[in-house]
Amino acid sequence: MHTRHTKITMAELAKMAGVDISTVSRALSDSPRVKPETKKYILEVAASTGYVINTSARSLRRQTSEAIGLVIPLRPESGQTISDPFFLEMIAAVGEFASTAGYDLVVSLPKEKEKIAEKRLLEAGRADGLIIIGQAGLSDRLHNLGALKDRVVVWGGREEDADYTLVGSDNREGGRLATEHLLSLGRHRILFIGNMELPEVVLRYAGLRDAYETAGLHHADELILGLDFGGQNAFEKTLDYIDAGGQFDAIFATSDVLAIAAVHAVNARDMRVPHDVAIVGYDNISHSTMVVPNLTTIDQSIKQGGEIMVDLLLRKLAGEEVKSCMTPTRLIVRQSTVLSPEQ
């Protein structure tokens, strides 16, 4: 047997042992769900390659629940519910890959900022680790997770001082791509829709400003419509903005739900999309291809994000050091910004 000087990952160890990553994760955490002979073999391969098992992380997993907690902190004032298509697609993505790895999924919907569900799910042993969707209102608690941060992965916008593991799209780049596309179409009065208190939205607006500045233009404060992600409220507030005389020739909405609400509001005031108003959303949820016209949007690879979060969490639980990462971020051009022949 030999010792490798280059640190290997759990995925590499799984390949060497000829098993899947979930089996390695369980073996390293001494789970009773792995056959003794398989566990022994994996540990022998780990030893022969110099794979380092984090004993403190391993001890945390000895009483394993074989479940991952998915925490969606809903804010009652936002009007956003668990039925939001973004949440449903994220649950599906995380659930699929958790199941593939042999883990159950426990969904938690805490409605109080001071409760992320660490105590109820982690300390009570109901989940081995947590995936938290969004950072809104949770920044202080996320920065003060202490030892529990080794059992948590967060979906959100990149923060320079974040000391926890983050996965998410490059929100600033997404904002830039959306805005550059609209500017290239000659649309200069772009109404930005989103809640500027949310980290992801702030980054998407920064991307808009980047594109404006590159084009030698200025984005006026009057072209910011601060709204949460709830669709009904977005529809009503967009109508109010139009009725108050707001002038714009394009909309960049920071979610597809907001963008779809904007399409309906614009149509309700006898304006045409994209003839009079070009509209771009964010997320590329499946509903974006069902609205008429089909929605141009920023794809932040929700399914891939779910897979990455599950993988990183399992690797953390096995004692590996992992780094935050971003999912691919790309512009998907459809009929809400570019006229099709039948339009």
Side-chain angles (χ1 to χ4, degrees):
M1 296 197 296
H2 64 282
T3 300
R4 282 181 51 173
H5 296 289
T6 301
K7 186 175 180 179
I8 68 171
T9 66
M10 187 163 63
E12 291 173 323
L13 178 58
K15 186 175 181 180
M16 292 176 184
V19 298
D20 59 41
I21 193 170
S22 61
T23 302
V24 172
S25 176
R26 291 196 189 101
L28 297 181
S29 60
D30 202 22
S31 169
R33 292 179 63 178
V34 181
K35 294 179 180 179
E37 57 270 26
T38 302
K39 189 183 301 181
K40 179 182 178 182
Y41 175 65
I42 291 172
L43 293 175
E44 287 175 350
V45 174
S48 71
T49 59
Y51 186 88
V52 179
I53 301 173
N54 186 313
T55 55
S56 62
R58 180 173 174 175
S59 66
L60 284 172
R61 291 289 315 280
R62 287 189 184 277
Q63 299 300 319
T64 178
S65 67
E66 303 294 351
I68 290 173
L70 180 64
V71 181
I72 302 176
L74 294 174
R75 294 174 300 119
E77 71 276 11
S78 71
Q80 195 175 24
T81 69
I82 191 62
S83 64
D84 185 298
F86 170 79
F87 289 144
L88 294 180
E89 293 192 18
M90 185 61 79
I91 291 171
V94 173
E96 175 184 348
F97 294 105
S99 177
T100 299
Y103 284 75
D104 293 325
L105 189 65
V106 179
V107 179
S108 176
L109 307 175
K111 293 186 177 180
E112 300 176 33
K113 293 180 180 180
E114 65 272 15
K115 294 181 180 179
I116 298 181
E118 316 96 300
K119 293 184 180 298
R120 188 158 56 86
L121 293 179
L122 292 182
E123 295 179 3
R126 293 184 60 196
D128 296 333
L130 296 183
I131 290 173
I132 301 173
I133 307 302
Q135 304 150 283
L138 302 177
S139 181
D140 289 342
R141 285 193 67 76
L142 291 173
H143 283 290
N144 290 288
L145 284 171
L148 290 180
K149 71 181 180 182
D150 291 332
R151 301 167 70 186
V152 171
V153 173
V154 179
W155 173 271
R158 181 63 59 89
E159 292 186 337
E160 294 298 328
D161 61 343
D163 59 354
Y164 48 88
T165 305
L166 269 170
V167 176
S169 70
D170 186 337
N171 290 276
R172 187 163 188 159
E173 174 67 3
R176 185 189 66 80
L177 289 172
T179 307
E180 279 190 349
H181 173 61
L182 291 170
L183 292 175
S184 73
L185 299 173
R187 312 294 179 124
H188 294 162
R189 290 190 61 80
I190 303 172
L191 179 63
F192 180 85
I193 300 179
N195 185 342
M196 295 294 282
E197 295 182 359
L198 305 181
E200 298 93 336
V201 173
V202 170
L203 288 169
R204 291 169 197 178
Y205 184 68
L208 177 147
R209 292 286 299 271
D210 291 343
Y212 260 76
E213 290 174 7
T214 298
L217 300 171
H218 171 71
H219 190 260
D221 290 344
E222 68 194 49
L223 289 171
I224 300 175
L225 184 57
L227 293 176
D228 269 307
F229 288 127
Q232 182 62 38
N233 183 56
F235 173 72
E236 294 170 355
K237 294 300 183 183
T238 303
L239 285 179
D240 290 344
Y241 187 89
I242 295 171
D243 294 341
Q247 298 295 312
F248 55 92
D249 55 18
I251 293 175
F252 172 30
T254 51
S255 81
D256 286 345
V257 169
L258 293 180
I260 291 169
V263 168
H264 291 307
V266 167
N267 288 339
R269 289 300 181 260
D270 296 323
M271 293 186 286
R272 298 175 301 166
V273 179
H275 308 70
D276 303 312
V277 179
I279 298 179
V280 179
Y282 206 107
D283 290 333
N284 195 28
I285 59 175
S286 59
H287 285 60
S288 64
T289 62
M290 301 176 191
V291 66
V292 178
N294 292 348
L295 190 64
T296 293
T297 186
I298 298 296
D299 181 14
Q300 58 175 339
S301 306
I302 294 173
K303 184 173 183 178
Q304 185 174 352
E307 180 178 13
I308 291 171
M309 287 190 291
V310 171
D311 177 61
L312 291 182
L313 183 59
L314 293 182
R315 287 164 57 190
K316 291 181 78 169
L317 293 176
E320 282 192 40
E321 291 185 8
V322 303
K323 294 182 179 180
S324 297
C325 66
M326 289 182 287
T327 58
T329 307
R330 60 195 182 110
L331 173 71
I332 306 296
V333 178
R334 299 193 182 106
Q335 298 171 353
S336 67
T337 56
V338 177
L339 284 168
S340 63
E342 56 271 21
Q343 288 178 287

